[in-house]
Amino acid sequence: MILRGVTSLAGYPPGVYVNEMAVPQSDDVKTSEFVPAFIGEFDRGPVNQYVLISETPTTKLYEVAGPVLGLTTKPNAGNALLDHLKHAKIRKAAFIRVLGEGHATANLVLNDRQGTPAPTLKVSAKYPGEYANIFTVEVADGSAVDTFKLILVSDFVTETYDNLSMDRSNARYVVKVVNASSEHFYLEDLNSGADSFSLARPSVKSKTQLTGGNNGDPVTDADRIGSYDPGTGKRTGLKLLEVIGNIVTDVAHINYSSQTADDAIVTFGEKNNCITYIGTNTAQTVDDAITYRNSFDSDFGQMAFGYYRSATGQRISGACLSAIVHVMGNVEDSGLAVECGWIVGTDQELGFDDYSKLFQNQITAFQLKPSAAGDGSLAWRMANDYTLAKTDVAGDVISDNENRKVNKRRLNSWIEKQLETVAAPWQGRAMTRKMRDDAERRIRTFFDKLVDPGNPAETSKIEAYSIAFNYAAKDIDQFVQDTKVKHYNTAEWILLNFMGGTNVEVDA
């Protein structure tokens, strides 16, 4: 029996009841922050799991990411990106690691202490990579009787575990202890068949080193786009990012650009309503970059020219830097005024004519400009941000630069994603009259706060909005109809997109 508006079952006969609860009535909708995502090569880390890192009050993002993703060892490795995220004070980011075919983690099998030794414990690196192919294991007697000590050494850290046992019922059972604590290793009990837990202990008394393994073949575009196995659900590359496509807002390949990879990431942006940042392929000159820019036309993809270096010498592509700058800025800002105080140089100096050509062809770059400090100093910041679609939906060339500003598309995408969250309580439900009333109130309250946040610490996001509802609709997708916003400093009203959650795949 379905009950409505009942707070107590007192007086009801025995039975099974379903109590239909009212939808959440709070108008305080917590909006998500900007979450950049980066796809590329790292020294270490998982290849079929995304790494989503949020800074804590005591630990910075780069401090959390360092042990997982590793140190910088390759010229274009993604690890160099962590240095820029550190300087920019980015608090939250997602990382997707890519490797070529054939990657593997190293492992080491330890024998027991029987007269005829048998394999008893397998030590494996958690993630493939440089340190996963070279590590050492030292076994010594434990501080307590019939226990042992494991000392596991990677290129990054030494982990020591004392008073371990091979007894599964023991609180210090080696597999349980190490697997619950280690960031780099995991163990497997090989059940050697020894007559006692004491004899089942590993017998290695000195350091043992395993070298070799395989970091994989060179990374291809197919590796970057990734794969999806519908049987196991495992994903890699850009397809792995689809899992959190609903929360990421700014996406870039790390220091990489090609026609295939860029087409895929722009498609990802279009399907997941986020902005993507792409490089200039192999273009070494402004004219070559212009030629490459003509290969795509999307409202969700920004092209950035050049490579830039931090004060600590780490090189980063303009695409990654643009993603960082946009995340640093407020949602209603274009990012033009955000200074990259940590950038000290570029691979290729550009002149006034070069910047003019890039601007006219909707390619962004970073330029030394007068600093906001007002002391006559210069600072690196974006030379222009008018870099989105060249043509409108009818195929006509867009002549008004203001229509192409990245911040406008980002603000629209942000509002559209928040609108899905606001309407989440009614998703997948047949709507009653009361549910429609509640949904309208909550949605209007959301837009009212975009116009006038009420909190003096917040700024107004849009100048005005209009929205129409279909009161005969049976579900939320049809209930929310024409929704338009008016941005500051623009004359036109911009139609927003509202859709229920959809599952999408990016094709190679």
Side-chain angles (χ1 to χ4, degrees), residues 123-162:
V123 183
S124 300
K126 265 189 177 180
Y127 309 126
E130 294 294 339
Y131 100 97
N133 294 327
I134 303 176
F135 65 86
T136 64
V137 178
E138 182 178 352
V139 182
D141 288 332
S143 302
V145 177
D146 284 341
T147 65
F148 63 98
K149 177 189 295 185
L150 271 185
I151 303 172
L152 309 175
V153 184
S154 74
D155 65 336
F156 197 78
V157 71
T158 297
E159 299 178 3
T160 302
Y161 303 91
D162 198 4

Side-chain angles (χ1 to χ4, degrees), residues 83-116:
D83 179 65
H84 293 267
L85 296 177
K86 171 185 176 182
H87 287 296
K89 297 180 172 59
I90 301 300
R91 296 189 298 269
K92 190 171 187 176
F95 305 93
I96 302 293
R97 187 189 185 200
V98 294
L99 277 180
E101 291 295 325
H103 63 265
T105 53
N107 63 78
L108 183 64
V109 175
L110 305 180
N111 290 331
D112 63 17
R113 306 191 183 198
Q114 297 183 93
T116 303

Side-chain angles (χ1 to χ4, degrees), residues 484-506:
K484 297 178 182 178
V485 299
K486 187 176 182 183
H487 292 259
Y488 287 104
N489 301 320
T490 62
E492 77 281 7
W493 288 77
I494 301 162
L495 184 65
L496 294 181
N497 175 50
F498 173 76
M499 297 192 324
T502 57
N503 295 319
V504 297
E505 294 292 336
V506 171

Side-chain angles (χ1 to χ4, degrees), residues 33-36 247-251 274-275 327 410 414 417:
E33 52 195 318
F34 292 124
V35 182
I247 66 171
V248 297
T249 57
D250 301 83
V251 182
C274 61
I275 302 302
V327 172
R410 292 184 77 246
W414 183 81
K417 286 197 172 192

